[in-house]
Structure formats: structure tokens, C-alpha cells
Amino acid sequence: MGQQTETHSSKSAKGTFLQELARQINESRKNPALKELESLERASVKDLVDGLVRFAYKSTASDIHIDPIEGGTVVRYRIDGILHDVLLLEPETHFKVVTRIKVLSELRTDEHYAPQDGRFRLIVDETPIDLRVSISPTFYGENTVLRLLIGEDDALALEDLGFSESDLGRIKRNIAKSYGMIVATGPTGAGKTTTLYALLDILNSRERSIVTIEDPIEYTVPGVTQIQINPRTDLTFAKGLRTIVRQDPNIIMVGEIRDEETASISVNAAMTGHLLLSTLHTNSASVTLPRLLDMGIEPFLIASTVNLAIGQRLVRRLCKECAQKNPISDIERETLQNFVSEEEVAGIKYSYTPKGCPACSQSGYTGRVGIYEVLELSENIKRLVMKRENATEIQKVAVEEGMTLMISDGIKKASEGLTSLAEVVRIIQE
């Protein structure tokens, strides 16, 4: 009896899940770029894979998720940071699609129980699209994620990323230095690598030797020596960085500081006459300094080498066609007072909210913009580092010296109609 109840409950849950999935897919088809996806259900495997990439590119998706589930495969696009269910495939199609992707990426087609990573290129409407591939075994089959890598022509200039004038001044002042570290911080998908590429674009000249070590190489930069890490040959960030410092570089970019060894070599490189750019996974700019302490870096080395820490997130831009301007509500004021001072909230008179229209596929948003905090290491901040003070004390002094907090930058952008207050709060709380 218990078994029958459990089986019935399981079937009921599965039915509800599939119904919700179908509803989400129908909702996603409101996006004009995704309306034609239904035709792929009857396409050949080659046309199916090509079509998934083509429609992802047209809908400005950053990632394609091909997720095996019980009874089929669901395809999802990440658009403006949000995942959308866009297609449901038959179970027998999944193996063929994954095999096709493995062939394009030159991965092992006979390996189904170990993770594999690769990349390939497709031409969409005469535009080359580079895709990074990650395949991982799961209960129902191999889960596959394709990251659409930005092309050289699509790379954003520093001024296009959403930095305030004061933050741009801090950044430009510090990239003009010939040594030290500039660290972009934030969670995965916060736009850290885009920020570093924008800095490289400014720094890139024939008078300088610039070497990068990345995982992956997001796009190629003419005149820059770029190295892709390769675990198969034991080429890690740390080992690659050791080689780079012997190659007479002026500027080094390390894709990510992941461990104590990489952190130590990076700091030493920054001390010996190199400008070093890198990323670190922390929640805010002020946490960067205690995080380096946790990784075994001595306080005097941090104070001597770190020039700048950039904390960042990406928020969705409001659609210009349908965003609604309203007087700020009491509930919005109350919510904001959990994050910033009453004085700051009092200065906000209006808020903008998403409505939805054909131009934004009824989502109310189109594209994304960064919100930032830029921490410059003043003498006062360096003294706090030497005392091993926590992030709260460091942030307090930085704000007193003029640093704008990420939440404040987001609220300012929301008050200007670039995004919504709800979107800023959502991203900060994630």
C-alpha cells in the first residue's frame, strides 16, 4: 500500500513538473528569436545543434543548458542572467546531440562517466561563434553546458561597463602604474573577466609585453600572448604563472586566483615590477584583503602590492520602451533601509518598474549593466591591513574616504531608470 502511494505520488509529481515545463517553454516562445525553436524538434541532429546555437545567439543568450531528465531532455537558455526553458527533446535525441557536440569539440565519444571540457566554433549568419563546452555525467545522462564566448568585435570598452566617473578615475589612475595588483571580485557570472579584458584593451600597446593565463581564453586579443591552462598536461595557473614571470612581461593577467600557491606567485610578481590583473571570488571589494590573508599572504605584502579591488555584479537593464516611472513606495523605502542609510533613501523620489512589451519579449528587461564598488588602497586602508582588521572595518574607512558601495551604485542606477530597485536587491541578496 505504501509503495503504491509512493508510486502514485512520484507519477503525480512528474506530471506536474512536465506540465510546468511545457508552460515555461510556451512562455519563452514569446521571445521573437525563440519562436522558431519548435521547428528543431523535427530537425536532423546537425541542424538541431546548429539551430540551438543560432537561436541562442539571436536571443543574446550567454549559455545553453542541455539537461537530461526522466523521460526526455530540456534545453534552457540563460538570457540576461536568467534561465529559460525553451525546448523539450525526446529521450533518444539526447545521446545524439551530446555525441555531435563531442565530435565538434574533439572530445572522446566513448567516454560517458567522466567530465570533459572542450570548445568549438560555428558560423552563424557569417559571424563566428566560439563555444566553451562542459560535459558532466548525471543520473539521467550527460549534462552539457555551452558558453557562448564574446567575440573580439563585441568586447566592451571600460566606459561602456557602467562605472561612475569617480570610479573610472580611480581605475585609470591605478592602471597607469607599472606594478601592483588590480583584482576584480564577485561571484561567477558577475562580469569580472569582461572588466579585465576592458583594462587590457586600454593597456595593450606594442611598447609593452602582455601575457595572460586563462581558463578559458574568452577571446583572442591581437598583440597579447595568451595561455590556456591544461590540467591534462599539468599546466595550472600556478605553474603557468611561474613560467610567465620568466618571459620578461610588463603586464600579466591571471584568469583567477584559486589557491594559495597562485596567490603567492601573483603577489611576488606584482612586487617585482609587474602590473598584475586577476579575479577573486569574494562578496565585496573589502573582503578581498582578508581573503588574501586567509590564503597565507602576509599583511605587509598585501599592503605593498594590491592597488585596487573592484567588487561587481550584473543587473538586468530595464526595457526603454516600457519601463514605468512611479513615486517610490513606502514598501520600497522600507526595504532599502535594510541596506543603506535613511538619508540615502530619503533622496530617492522615483522608482522604475518593468512592465513588458514586444520589444523585450514581455520580460520588462533587455541586456545587463554592472553595479560596482572600487576600493583604492589608501594609507589608512593599508594600516588596517597591517593590523589584520576585518572587512567591516576596511569598508567603513573606505566609505569615509569616498568609496561608493555596490548597493548604493545600484540604487543610483535604479533611480536613473537603468534598472529596477527590485532587481538591485535581488542581485545583492544572491
Side-chain angles (χ1 to χ4, degrees), residues 122-176:
L122 286 181
I123 307 297
V124 176
D125 298 335
E126 300 184 355
T127 302
I129 306 297
D130 290 309
L131 296 108
R132 185 181 76 200
V133 179
S134 175
I135 300 176
S136 180
T138 69
F139 185 76
Y140 289 112
E142 291 176 284
N143 192 79
T144 304
V145 178
L146 310 179
R147 164 66 59 88
L148 281 72
L149 303 178
I150 59 174
E152 295 161 28
D153 296 335
D154 298 323
L156 296 174
L158 188 65
E159 287 77 8
D160 298 329
L161 299 182
F163 286 102
S164 66
E165 287 299 320
S166 58
D167 285 344
L168 276 174
R170 291 186 180 96
I171 292 170
K172 289 181 178 180
R173 183 163 59 245
N174 282 278
I175 63 173

Side-chain angles (χ1 to χ4, degrees), residues 84-372:
H84 301 268
D85 298 314
V86 297
L87 194 63
L88 185 62
L89 303 174
E90 295 296 325
E92 60 270 15
T93 306
H94 181 79
F95 174 78
K96 298 175 183 177
V97 168
V98 175
T99 300
R100 171 67 180 166
I101 291 170
K102 286 180 177 179
V103 170
L104 290 170
S105 309
E106 298 183 353
L107 300 176
R108 287 187 57 181
T109 58
D110 60 342
E111 177 57 76
H112 307 291
Y113 299 102
Q116 295 193 73
D117 296 303
R119 62 188 295 158
F120 66 94
R121 170 176 285 191
L122 286 181
I123 307 297
V124 176
D125 298 335
E126 300 184 355
T127 302
I129 306 297
D130 290 309
L131 296 108
R132 185 181 76 200
V133 179
S134 175
I135 300 176
S136 180
T138 69
F139 185 76
Y140 289 112
E142 291 176 284
N143 192 79
T144 304
V145 178
L146 310 179
R147 164 66 59 88
L148 281 72
L149 303 178
I150 59 174
E152 295 161 28
D153 296 335
D154 298 323
L156 296 174
L158 188 65
E159 287 77 8
D160 298 329
L161 299 182
F163 286 102
S164 66
E165 287 299 320
S166 58
D167 285 344
L168 276 174
R170 291 186 180 96
I171 292 170
K172 289 181 178 180
R173 183 163 59 245
N174 282 278
I175 63 173
K177 296 178 179 179
S178 60
Y179 65 93
M181 288 178 65
I182 296 177
V183 186
T185 73
T188 301
K192 301 184 296 296
T193 303
T194 299
T195 298
L196 294 191
Y197 276 126
L199 297 182
L200 281 185
D201 185 58
I202 296 173
L203 294 166
N204 192 10
S205 71
R206 297 307 300 163
E207 291 77 29
R208 298 187 180 105
S209 170
I210 303 177
V211 185
T212 75
I213 180 160
E214 307 171 61
D215 181 31
I217 295 173
E218 297 281 352
Y219 69 96
T220 57
V221 183
V224 174
T225 302
Q226 296 174 268
I227 301 171
Q228 167 75 50
I229 74 164
N230 187 349
R232 294 178 184 174
T233 60
D234 202 28
L235 177 55
T236 62
F237 278 120
K239 291 190 176 180
L241 189 50
R242 275 203 177 91
T243 300
I244 289 172
V245 295
R246 294 194 291 268
Q247 297 258 312
D248 188 31
N250 298 104
I251 299 163
I252 302 170
M253 186 180 99
V254 181
E256 182 185 344
I257 296 176
R258 293 179 178 174
D259 51 49
E260 294 181 7
E261 187 179 10
T262 306
S264 176
I265 302 169
S266 297
V267 167
N268 285 327
M271 278 194 68
T272 54
H274 305 93
L275 181 63
L276 189 134
L277 315 177
S278 191
T279 70
L280 195 63
H281 285 276
T282 65
N283 290 327
S284 66
S286 55
V287 174
T288 302
L289 307 175
R291 177 75 181 106
L292 290 171
L293 285 171
D294 291 341
M295 298 179 89
I297 307 302
E298 292 295 329
F300 77 92
L301 290 175
I302 298 172
S304 302
T305 57
V306 179
N307 296 338
L308 206 67
I310 305 170
Q312 61 183 89
R313 299 286 192 283
L314 292 177
V315 296
R316 290 180 291 172
R317 281 183 182 269
L318 282 169
C319 174
K320 294 180 180 179
E321 302 295 325
C322 65
Q324 293 184 322
K325 181 180 180 181
N326 305 297
I328 186 170
S329 68
D330 291 339
I331 293 176
E332 287 174 323
R333 287 187 186 281
E334 196 173 313
T335 301
L336 291 179
Q337 285 173 3
N338 294 323
F339 300 96
V340 294
S341 67
E342 290 185 20
E343 292 77 14
E344 190 169 339
V345 176
I348 304 170
K349 304 301 181 184
Y350 298 96
S351 66
Y352 294 77
T353 55
K355 180 183 177 183
C357 68
C360 60
S361 304
Q362 306 302 324
S363 70
Y365 297 94
T366 174
R368 289 191 287 178
V369 65
I371 57 175
Y372 304 94

Side-chain angles (χ1 to χ4, degrees), residues 4-54:
Q4 289 175 346
T5 304
E6 183 180 349
T7 302
H8 175 74
S9 175
S10 176
K11 288 181 178 178
S12 176
K14 177 185 173 185
T16 303
F17 172 75
L18 292 176
Q19 288 173 3
E20 176 61 18
L21 189 57
R23 189 191 70 78
Q24 293 284 358
I25 289 173
N26 287 332
E27 189 69 22
S28 296
R29 298 271 169 83
K30 292 180 180 178
N31 185 327
L34 303 178
K35 280 184 178 178
E36 301 175 46
L37 270 168
E38 190 175 357
S39 64
L40 296 181
E41 295 173 356
R42 300 175 297 278
S44 66
V45 174
K46 177 184 180 300
D47 290 342
L48 173 56
V49 173
D50 290 357
L52 290 177
V53 175
R54 182 171 66 256

